[in-house]
Amino acid sequence: MIKKKLEDIAIVMNVDLDNVAVAKEGIPLGYELEYRGELVKIKNTIKKGHRFALIDIKECEFVRQYGYPFGQSKGVVQGESITVSNIKNVLPEINRKDFKEPCEITFRPQYLNKTFLGYVRRNGYIGTRNYYLVVPTSMCASETALQVALNMDDNGENPQKYPNIDGIVAIPNTEGCGCDSTLQIDRFMRVLKGYIHHPNVGGCLIMDLGCEQTNYEKMHEYLKDTVKEALKPIDWITIQESGGTHSTIEKAKIIINDRLSAVNQVKREPCPLSKLVVGTECGASDSFSGITANPVIGNTVDKIIYGGGSAILSEVPEMLGTFTMLFPRFRTLEVANKFEGILNWYIDIARKLGLTLEANLVPKNIEGGLINNYIKSLGAVMKGGSTIIEDVLDYAEPVRKRGLSIMQGPGGDLESVTGIVASGATITCFSTGQGTTTGNAICPVIKVSSNDATFKKLSEDMDFNTGRLLSEQSSIDSLGEELLEKLIAVASGQKTWSEKWKQRQFQVWTAGKLPL
């Protein structure tokens, strides 16, 4: 028998409530692990990232991590690996009569007094970037808009002449026509409005082909309030009325060059954390995403909110099974019911298509130890921190309340981040276990690696390493402080890797699209 301290090769997220631990490395059969004055005898080989029982978990008792259930035991003995065969995907019911409104958030001086260097807009909103944006209103105008932006950004950009402009970018898309004129068009226009109105955008040129559902006539009417506010220079150009592709590109370049001086006039100045809106995302997750990266992001989100700021949590399909965990945190029962409503919407859609949300669990997730949707979801929502959930938003709906909001949205990285930014996120923290390179057209994205190996393997894509929780004497709170300082630096202008490599993804959520 080999004896070791459990904390040397495994991790327990909530020492008071959890009845499982997660292996930081492979644990052979026969090991004895010292834990809280007792020995846990390992009954079978435990793979890295997989869970094992700290005690005997009797049949029908709930298996818990983070202090919350993620399944029901079929009878698991101490030291045995937790697998798909020895638990049932069953969770306890919630009694809504037990709901109590949470206590108010206590703001903390050490965060209220922190500042970043941002771009102050005329309406009081604060940007972390100052982009000039070329906005195609449909798929038909997208390639032309992209050519304009690439030409201007690569050849016309003059850092000495325009030091306060971060770039000239376009948001090519596959939307705007060829589909039903209700849900999909409404959602698409809401996203475009969010980007045009966004505090990270200092000016924009809106481009249409001329005959699409989202042409000038439709879009101008939808955006008229934004245009009337005159918060930034907004121009329009129609390809069919401008002499075609080449002529449109040349005219667009003239318009943009005439506007850059005005866009460049705004300069960075000190701003409080209360003006930040932080988006949260996870992708290519592994078993450690919910143990290192997501809790550290959540800790940082809490600090932003303690400083009066705001945050957005999305990826609703990856919240399956978290209602028990989140229920005490909803501002009101109405907000809780709204959250359950958007979750049930996904379940209902899947049922109608003859599918289940279990498909959200990919083979690499299971191989890495995420044996069901519930444990994956519990880890995913950790990036939303621990504060009150103030509101539930529709996809790309503007943030209304200070604090944490949940946005209706898919689990797909590009679609999710696009909606989060449209809702108002000015900076995003993105956790990953396997590694992903996704960025955003107008919002800096900080890549947070869950483990040392991915951080080293993708050293020019990962911005922050939380794998140190497993390999060093670090804590979630200390790394949360470090990530906060990184976030402040990025918000103040420091480029992330995805920005350096011009990873400017933009993809609108197309759920409900029926090609016509």
Side-chain angles (χ1 to χ4, degrees), residues 359-375:
N360 189 42
L361 203 67
V362 299
K364 279 288 185 181
N365 292 150
I366 299 171
E367 181 184 318
L370 299 175
I371 60 172
N372 67 10
N373 274 60
Y374 300 150
I375 189 60

Side-chain angles (χ1 to χ4, degrees), residues 89-115:
N89 294 340
V90 175
L91 298 178
E93 294 289 329
I94 290 290
N95 187 348
R96 283 168 173 72
K97 293 181 180 179
D98 295 336
F99 180 80
K100 296 179 181 178
E101 290 194 9
C103 298
E104 292 296 325
I105 295 171
T106 303
F107 298 118
R108 301 182 182 179
Q110 66 265 42
Y111 304 119
L112 288 170
N113 295 330
K114 283 187 177 291
T115 62

Side-chain angles (χ1 to χ4, degrees), residues 260-320:
L260 293 181
S261 292
V263 176
N264 186 63
Q265 286 179 4
V266 63
K267 298 180 180 180
R268 291 187 181 273
E269 56 185 272
C271 305
L273 284 190
S274 60
K275 294 296 185 178
L276 275 180
V277 181
V278 180
T280 63
E281 181 71 16
C282 57
S285 299
D286 66 356
S287 191
F288 296 113
S289 293
I291 293 167
T292 59
N294 289 341
V296 170
I297 290 174
N299 182 275
T300 302
V301 163
D302 282 350
K303 297 176 195 305
I304 293 290
I305 292 173
Y306 293 149
S310 303
I312 302 171
L313 175 67
S314 189
E315 301 176 284
V316 173
E318 298 191 0
M319 298 182 188
L320 185 70

Side-chain angles (χ1 to χ4, degrees), residues 7 20 69 96-97 109 160 164 167 182 204 209 249 251 263 289 302 314 384 391 407 412 445 476 491 507 510 512:
E7 58 265 29
V20 301
R96 283 168 173 72
K97 293 181 180 179
Q160 286 72 41
N164 300 319
T182 54
C204 59
L209 176 63
I249 291 172
K251 290 179 179 179
V263 176
S289 293
D302 282 350
S314 189
D391 203 1
M407 185 198 78
V445 176
I476 289 173
Q507 178 64 55
T510 56

